[in-house]
């Protein structure tokens, strides 16, 4: 059993699926001999050859469009967008084709592809390399959006994403690519999509988050525990479709909810979660639902990026506000 | 000091001139394969008859917005006739002639423009792509299909059609680039009908040809008279053979003319002169093939009349089938979204079936 970082778990999942399913191909810019700019595909081309792990010309639209074409003809392409900041030209194909191919052909064609991209801030990257725009995809009917927050979940969820017969946007929180290692058995066992993962049980407040923000949220829960406050922490993991039931079940127990995400506040998935709570969980609530999110500003360059992103302190501030009124 | 590091030329091919005479040397064998030419002529006539009827259906409120294929029949039938069943067609949205050849039913074309997804679940080859409205994206889907065939060592070719307008889009250029980089079994056709809705070819760019965009990406590229089925057929066979034999992709610019409005929602009189359209009618594809068949003694007025009557009958039967299709059922809004309906959609499906009328008001 290997002790792996999150990015190494991604590599291990890709390798497993390349090994066990001939229809899987990995493609993207610099994914071949270079192993990807984050090394997510490290060693894969050397192991599986350049017909399975394919360096593409520098053309994001092409990567998305050809992945769709391949997927419709029986392949399972796993495409990499080098950074989420370069994913936007691909949206045309994801929205107009990948998301609707099964529906508009009444199931005659479908699109079993995965579009992977590293996303989020906190690594002092250049402009356009730090945004969290997962909601753009979550809004589109026909797409699944999956975000792992640990090496184990990266492995299991990526396997599930590749095996899923429909398109999945798989966003990897690059700030925690190498945050810590954990034992990740290379057993080909997938983890379920479409469900939240309860990372910590609690009874006083529910903290809902995903991606890299799981780290600060768990730290906030530790700090709260020292004050005698018991926080439940939920990693949403699949942000679309949203596992509302698990969140509402938790809030039914705690009566309080704070949602934490790096993405800009307005129209972020926090808004959807809050709306779901207002709809189906209102009578469980002892206090208003709070969001701790990125500001509705342009993501600043790196001198200021940590100011933009939710911090442990900002999470604690929101929790205290909620506790004060209830 | 300077030296010439690249040179290219684009050849234009025509074998059957607008008057229906064979021209030039080295005419391909298909020019005298009259059984085939008669079949093609019949399908071209059916395509035109269908097109006329579809517009009439739209004008009388029985069909939604429809994109006419008037004037493109030779190019389209040549594409359909030269492809194999196992090849993959990624059309834009008006290549009915090619699709009819490949087994798509007229009633299915009508179903699609009649607002019903079942039209895309058509009777043609099941791996063919559906109609593609966003412009030029289909070129990359075809490139992806070609990549799949190449990776699996299958002797199959993907064929896509883009308009002169669509050739301005990055998708088209990226498909050329990819096909060149990976030597893909792909044929990209620029159906140059001179108009991108209201923008004429002359305002799209100043390149002498659109075919040369293929040269820029490293693909052999030619131009043919798109109203000459012999030239289109010859060019398609050549490109398909090349692709099937592992020699890579090609670009064919087929010069034709959009004799219709862009769609039934368009009025071309707002932006182009009748005179230009009148001149284009003199070059249209059906008449020249008919002339060639007649002067070769394999076609006459009696056969023409019988064909026209038969086409009307076939089209009317297709219209009957289309009109009898009925409402697809509210559940179909949900049931094809995913292989397995996720929990959020299960809830919405349940709610929709409860709260919606079984059919929208006014549906017949």
């Amino acid at each position: 059993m290997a002790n792996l970082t999150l990015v190494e778990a991604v590599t291990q999942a890709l390798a497993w699926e390349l090994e066990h399913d001939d229809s899987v191909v990995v493609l993207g810019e610099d994914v071949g001999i270079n192993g990807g700019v984050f090394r997510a595909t490290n060693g894969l081309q050397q192991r599986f050859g350049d017909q399975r792990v394919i360096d593409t010309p520098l053309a994001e639209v092409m990567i998305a469009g050809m992945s769709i074409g391949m997927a419709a003809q029986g392949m399972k392409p796993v495409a990499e967008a080098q950074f989420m900041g370069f994913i936007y030209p691909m949206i045309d194909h994801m929205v107009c084709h990948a998301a609707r191919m099964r529906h508009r052909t009444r199931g005659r064609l479908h699109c079993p592809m995965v579009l992977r991209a590293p996303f989020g801030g906190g690594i002092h990257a250049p402009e356009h390399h730090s945004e969290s725009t997962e909601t753009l995809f979550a809004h589109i009917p026909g797409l699944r959006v999956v975000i792992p927050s640990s090496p184990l979940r990266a492995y299991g969820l990526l396997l599930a994403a590749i095996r899923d017969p429909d398109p999945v946007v798989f966003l990897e929180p690059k700030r925690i690519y190498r945050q810590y290692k954990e034992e990740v058995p290379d057993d080909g066992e997938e983890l379920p999509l479409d469900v939240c993962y309860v990372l910590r049980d609690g009874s006083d407040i529910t903290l809902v988050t995903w991606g890299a923000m799981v780290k600060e949220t768990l730290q906030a829960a530790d700090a709260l525990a020292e004050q005698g406050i018991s926080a439940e922490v939920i990693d949403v993991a699949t942000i679309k479709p949203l596992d509302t039931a698990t969140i509402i079940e938790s809030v039914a127990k705690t009566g309080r909810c704070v949602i934490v995400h790096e993405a800009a506040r307005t129209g972020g998935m926090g808004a959807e979660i809050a709306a779901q709570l207002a709809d189906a969980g209102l009578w469980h609530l002892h206090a208003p639902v709070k969001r701790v999110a990125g500001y509705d500003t342009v993501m600043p360059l790196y001198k200021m990026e940590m100011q933009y992103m939710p911090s442990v302190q900002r999470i604690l501030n929101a929790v205290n506000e909620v506790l004060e009124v209830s | 000091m300077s030296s010439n590091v690249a040179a290219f030329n684009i050849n234009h091919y025509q074998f059957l001139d607008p008057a229906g005479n064979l021209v030039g040397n080295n005419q391909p064998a298909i020019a005298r394969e009259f059984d085939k030419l008669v079949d093609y002529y019949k399908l071209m006539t059916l395509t035109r008859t269908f097109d006329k009827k579809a517009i009439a259906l739209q004008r009388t409120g029985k069909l939604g917005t429809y994109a006419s294929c008037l004037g493109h029949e030779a190019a389209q039938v040549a594409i359909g006739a030269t492809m194999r069943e196992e090849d993959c067609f990624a059309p834009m949205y008006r290549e009915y002639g090619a699709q009819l050849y490949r087994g798509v039913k007229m009633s299915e074309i009508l179903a699609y423009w009649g607002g019903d997804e079942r039209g895309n679940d058509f009777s043609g080859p099941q791996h063919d792509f559906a109609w593609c409205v966003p412009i030029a994206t289909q070129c990359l889907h075809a490139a992806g299909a070609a990549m799949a065939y190449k990776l699996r060592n299958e002797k199959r070719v993907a064929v896509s059609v883009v308009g002169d307008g669509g050739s301005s889009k990055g998708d088209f250029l990226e498909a050329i680039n990819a096909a060149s980089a990976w030597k893909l079994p792909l044929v990209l056709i620029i159906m140059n009908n001179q108009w991108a809705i209201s923008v004429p070819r002359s305002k799209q760019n100043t390149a002498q040809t659109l075919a040369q965009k293929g040269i820029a990406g490293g693909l052999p590229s030619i131009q043919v008279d798109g109203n000459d089925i012999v030239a289109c057929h010859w060019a398609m066979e050549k490109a398909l053979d090349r692709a099937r034999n592992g020699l890579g992709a090609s670009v064919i610019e087929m010069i034709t003319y959009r004799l219709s409005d862009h769609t039934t929602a368009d009025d071309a009189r707002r932006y182009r002169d009748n005179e230009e359209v009148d001149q284009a009618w003199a070059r249209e594809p059906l008449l020249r093939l008919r002339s060639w068949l007649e002067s070769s003694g394999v076609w006459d007025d009696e056969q023409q009349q019988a064909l026209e009557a038969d086409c009307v009958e076939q089209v009317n039967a297709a219209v009957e089938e289309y009109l009898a299709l009925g409402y697809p059922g509210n559940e179909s809004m949900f049931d094809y979204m995913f292989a397995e309906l996720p929990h959020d959609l299960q809830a919405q499906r349940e709610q929709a079936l409860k709260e919606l009328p079984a059919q929208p008001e006014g549906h017949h």
Side-chain angles (χ1 to χ4, degrees):
Chain A
M1 195 186 295
N3 207 24
L4 302 180
T5 61
L6 194 156
V7 70
E8 288 166 342
V10 167
T11 316
Q12 182 167 284
L14 292 171
W16 177 278
E17 230 28 34
L18 282 162
E19 177 77 36
H20 292 87
D21 185 344
D22 286 344
S23 63
V24 172
V25 292
V26 168
L27 71 157
E29 295 158 5
D30 307 301
V31 301
I33 190 154
N34 193 36
V37 294
F38 284 102
R39 308 290 174 259
T41 55
N42 196 28
L44 295 180
Q45 190 181 65
Q46 289 87 338
R47 184 170 161 198
F48 296 100
D50 60 7
Q51 304 288 293
R52 305 289 307 285
V53 181
I54 304 166
D55 273 321
T56 66
L58 205 169
E60 284 80 14
V61 179
M62 184 215 73
I63 294 169
M66 284 188 64
S67 294
I68 289 166
M70 281 191 267
Q73 303 297 317
M75 308 287 291
K76 287 185 181 164
V78 184
E80 177 177 300
Q82 200 158 71
F83 286 87
M84 197 165 191
F86 308 146
I87 215 168
Y88 309 118
M90 298 170 148
I91 289 182
D92 182 20
H93 278 273
M94 297 307 291
V95 173
C96 294
H97 299 290
R100 53 195 294 146
M101 184 173 289
R102 182 187 292 277
H103 180 78
R104 71 189 292 264
T105 63
R106 286 299 179 254
R108 183 171 63 79
L109 297 173
H110 65 289
C111 193
M113 68 174 284
V114 175
L115 176 57
R116 296 177 41 244
F119 83 117
I123 65 158
H124 284 204
E127 195 170 10
H128 303 294
H129 287 62
S130 300
E131 284 78 2
S132 296
T133 46
E134 62 270 23
T135 315
L136 295 177
F137 292 101
H139 185 65
I140 302 305
L143 295 181
R144 268 194 173 75
V145 183
V146 178
I147 299 175
S149 66
S150 75
L152 267 172
R153 282 188 292 284
Y155 181 78
L157 292 174
L158 182 52
L159 286 177
I162 299 171
R163 292 168 191 169
D164 193 90
D166 291 300
V168 177
V169 178
F170 193 84
L171 301 174
E172 298 163 7
K174 61 180 178 287
R175 184 161 60 94
I176 59 169
Y177 257 162
R178 295 182 172 80
Q179 185 189 26
Y180 64 93
K181 292 188 175 194
E182 67 183 342
E183 294 294 327
V184 183
D186 195 12
D187 53 9
E189 289 292 320
E190 61 185 68
L191 285 171
L193 302 175
D194 303 359
V195 296
C196 295
Y197 290 78
V198 180
L199 301 185
R200 179 181 177 124
D201 289 324
S203 53
D204 298 326
I205 188 161
T206 302
L207 306 178
V208 179
T209 189
W210 55 90
M213 274 299 142
V214 164
K215 177 187 170 190
E216 281 72 20
T217 306
L218 285 170
Q219 286 171 348
D222 283 341
L224 290 167
E226 283 172 24
Q227 302 166 37
I229 298 158
S230 163
E232 183 143 308
V233 176
I234 294 178
D235 172 14
V236 176
T238 299
I239 67 163
K240 176 76 174 293
L242 189 62
D243 174 11
T244 312
T246 297
I247 296 169
I248 289 176
E249 194 182 319
S250 173
V251 172
K253 184 171 61 175
T254 63
R256 300 171 188 89
C257 185
V258 169
I259 304 154
V260 183
H261 61 66
E262 242 178 88
R265 175 186 305 262
T266 300
M269 280 308 285
E272 177 61 27
I273 293 167
Q276 296 278 0
L277 283 170
D279 180 28
L282 187 65
W283 309 117
H284 302 308
L285 287 167
H286 305 320
V289 174
K290 290 283 172 194
R291 286 175 288 164
V292 184
Y295 301 107
D296 287 335
T297 64
V298 170
M299 176 88 194
L301 297 186
Y302 74 81
K303 274 187 187 170
M304 213 185 286
E305 69 175 335
M306 295 315 288
Q307 300 291 80
Y308 174 89
M309 300 201 297
S311 60
V312 174
Q313 191 54 55
R314 282 175 61 198
I315 298 169
L316 292 174
N317 293 348
V319 170
N320 288 333
E321 272 186 65
V322 167
L323 291 171
E324 271 169 26
V325 299
S326 58
Chain B
M1 142 185 184
S2 75
S3 55
N4 188 353
V5 293
F8 70 92
N9 61 297
I10 300 287
N11 288 332
H12 178 93
Y13 295 88
Q14 182 194 60
F15 298 110
L16 191 59
D17 74 9
N21 301 312
L22 279 192
V23 291
N25 304 316
N26 300 324
Q27 288 140 356
I30 187 67
R32 291 183 178 81
E33 290 176 28
F34 292 110
D35 288 351
K36 282 187 183 171
L37 287 184
V38 165
D39 280 349
Y40 301 161
Y41 179 66
K42 286 178 175 172
L43 186 56
M44 286 162 66
T45 306
L46 181 66
T47 303
R48 183 166 292 184
T49 311
F50 166 78
D51 192 69
K52 193 175 173 187
K53 184 68 177 183
I55 291 168
L57 289 170
Q58 191 278 333
R59 299 291 189 233
T60 53
K62 294 187 178 117
L63 190 70
T65 297
Y66 168 80
S68 164
C69 65
L70 188 65
H72 305 70
E73 297 89 350
Q76 293 180 355
V77 170
I79 293 165
T82 48
M83 289 176 68
R84 293 186 187 166
E85 160 93 18
E86 68 267 25
D87 293 338
C88 181
F89 190 43
M92 39 191 251
Y93 42 76
R94 58 170 115 244
E95 283 69 46
Y96 316 123
Q99 292 180 303
L100 292 174
Y101 198 99
R102 287 178 71 68
V104 176
K105 290 161 69 177
M106 290 182 281
S107 57
E108 293 161 347
I109 302 170
L110 293 173
Y112 176 67
W113 294 109
D116 194 320
E117 285 85 352
R118 286 174 292 184
N120 276 331
D121 184 16
F122 50 54
S123 310
Q126 293 301 289
H127 54 267
D128 274 11
F129 287 93
W131 290 287
C132 188
V133 173
I135 306 300
T137 49
Q138 70 275 10
C139 298
L140 285 169
H141 305 155
M147 184 72 140
Y149 305 151
K150 187 181 167 93
L151 291 173
R152 293 197 298 251
N153 291 316
E154 296 170 352
K155 285 203 147 205
R156 301 166 71 183
V157 183
V159 175
S160 191
V161 179
V162 70
D164 46 301
S167 78
S168 289
K169 278 195 61 169
D171 295 70
F172 169 70
L173 301 167
E174 292 189 24
I176 288 172
N177 208 50
S180 162
W182 287 308
K183 234 180 184 185
L184 297 179
L186 177 71
V187 179
L188 288 171
I189 297 149
I190 307 167
M191 195 64 71
N192 179 355
N193 69 14
Q194 313 302 327
W195 289 90
I197 304 188
S198 66
V199 180
R201 168 66 184 85
S202 60
K203 288 187 179 167
Q204 293 174 32
N205 63 56
T206 57
Q208 290 161 289
T209 71
L210 297 178
Q212 70 204 55
K213 296 189 183 198
I215 301 280
L219 301 185
S221 305
I222 61 168
Q223 193 182 69
V224 299
D225 182 342
N227 294 339
D228 168 4
I229 191 158
V230 176
C232 292
H233 192 280
W234 167 82
M236 280 300 296
E237 277 202 325
K238 195 168 130 155
L240 286 163
D241 279 353
R242 190 184 142 76
R244 208 179 306 284
N245 291 322
L247 299 173
S250 320
V251 172
I252 306 168
E253 179 183 7
M254 297 183 175
I255 305 288
T256 182
Y257 192 85
R258 199 192 76 208
L259 292 167
S260 62
D261 296 329
H262 164 65
T263 65
T264 52
D266 176 43
D267 180 359
R269 290 171 302 183
R270 292 171 60 82
Y271 51 79
R272 72 178 182 187
D273 293 335
N274 282 336
E275 200 182 327
E276 180 187 307
V277 182
D278 290 345
Q279 284 169 7
W281 270 106
R283 299 188 301 272
E284 71 94 13
L286 267 67
L287 204 54
R288 72 172 78 178
L289 180 55
R290 181 179 168 185
S291 301
W292 170 237
L293 296 176
E294 284 176 350
S295 63
S296 304
V298 298
W299 195 253
D300 59 25
D301 277 351
E302 199 178 321
Q303 283 166 298
Q304 178 69 25
Q305 280 164 20
L307 172 64
E308 284 172 12
D310 179 56
C311 287
V312 168
E313 200 174 309
Q314 285 189 59
V315 168
N316 286 343
V319 171
E320 289 302 311
E321 200 179 330
Y322 156 64
L323 292 174
L325 184 59
Y327 185 68
N330 292 333
E331 68 281 357
S332 72
M333 189 157 37
F334 298 91
D335 289 350
Y336 301 94
M337 285 297 300
F338 292 92
E340 208 174 311
L341 203 62
H343 48 72
D344 59 341
L345 280 179
Q346 282 173 24
Q348 290 181 31
R349 182 183 189 274
E350 209 171 297
Q351 187 181 352
L353 295 186
K354 211 182 299 171
E355 72 191 0
L356 297 176
Q359 292 192 8
E361 258 179 70
H363 179 81
H364 306 293

